[in-house]
Amino acid sequence: MNTEKIESERIVIFIDNSNIFKGFKKYKVKVDYEKLKNVITQNRELQAIILYEGVIYPINPNKKKWYEDLKKNSGYSIITSFDKRTSKTAIEKKIDVKIAIDIISFAYENAFDTAILVSGDGDFLPVIKKLRKLNKKIEIWAFRYSLANVIKSELDQENIHYLDDNLSKIMM
């Protein structure tokens, strides 16, 4: 009898919420983030799921409650970047940098076998290349219309998943 334990693939999910929220809005769908987590995780060992978002200060009470519910009910960590201006411009870059730093830091800490980035932003190309040098896998989940060509050309198709194909599984 073989008593060896089969190791499960360890994953960390990094969600660029501003990036994917635009797609949900475009398709006019409300998404259940617990379902999103389950669809992405599949049968793998989830180490952490982190949602990143730029927010306008003061934070909307409904948004604050949503963050609290995600943390309490679904195990999400929430990382926000506050902007004291009254417009929604120029807050995204702060978030992209935070995501990039965290992905690389987690890789060096050997926190995952596969990083799952939920974003189609081409700014993450250097992160993808660095993960490969570190012998880590990367998987992208994005909308077809927003997935940068540089990412499409860098990754094998098996490492790209389209949110468009999964909308019925993640809707409220």
Side-chain angles (χ1 to χ4, degrees), residues 45-56:
E45 189 180 324
L46 181 63
Q47 303 297 299
I49 183 165
I50 309 164
L51 181 132
Y52 298 81
E53 189 164 41
V55 294
I56 304 295

Side-chain angles (χ1 to χ4, degrees), residues 29-130:
V29 295
K30 288 196 181 234
V31 171
D32 179 327
Y33 278 66
E34 176 69 15
K35 289 180 181 177
L36 175 65
K37 177 180 80 172
N38 293 333
V39 164
I40 293 171
T41 302
Q42 297 161 8
N43 293 322
R44 300 177 286 186
E45 189 180 324
L46 181 63
Q47 303 297 299
I49 183 165
I50 309 164
L51 181 132
Y52 298 81
E53 189 164 41
V55 294
I56 304 295
Y57 183 82
I59 192 166
N60 175 311
N62 291 335
K63 179 70 88 168
K64 190 172 185 177
K65 182 182 180 330
W66 182 69
Y67 289 151
E68 289 167 2
D69 289 345
L70 273 181
K71 285 185 217 176
K72 185 172 68 178
N73 301 327
S74 298
Y76 278 72
S77 295
I78 311 294
I79 297 181
T80 56
S81 179
F82 289 97
D83 187 34
K84 293 183 181 168
R85 290 174 290 154
T86 55
S87 74
K88 293 184 180 182
T89 59
I91 53 178
E92 190 62 33
K93 289 300 173 193
K94 295 177 196 170
I95 293 299
D96 290 353
V97 170
K98 286 182 179 192
I99 295 170
I101 289 169
D102 283 353
I103 292 173
I104 299 303
S105 295
F106 278 54
Y108 274 109
E109 294 165 4
N110 196 30
F112 58 77
D113 302 310
T114 302
I116 298 177
L117 176 60
V118 184
S119 176
D121 193 332
D123 289 345
F124 291 109
L125 182 62
V127 172
I128 292 168
K129 288 181 175 186
K130 183 64 175 180

Side-chain angles (χ1 to χ4, degrees), residues 118-154:
V118 184
S119 176
D121 193 332
D123 289 345
F124 291 109
L125 182 62
V127 172
I128 292 168
K129 288 181 175 186
K130 183 64 175 180
L131 287 175
R132 286 185 157 168
K133 286 182 181 175
L134 296 171
N135 293 315
K136 295 290 184 181
K137 296 180 206 159
I138 177 80
E139 197 175 285
I140 300 293
W141 287 70
F143 287 99
R144 278 186 171 78
Y145 81 89
S146 68
L147 181 59
N149 288 331
V150 294
I151 291 178
K152 280 185 210 173
S153 62
E154 184 69 25

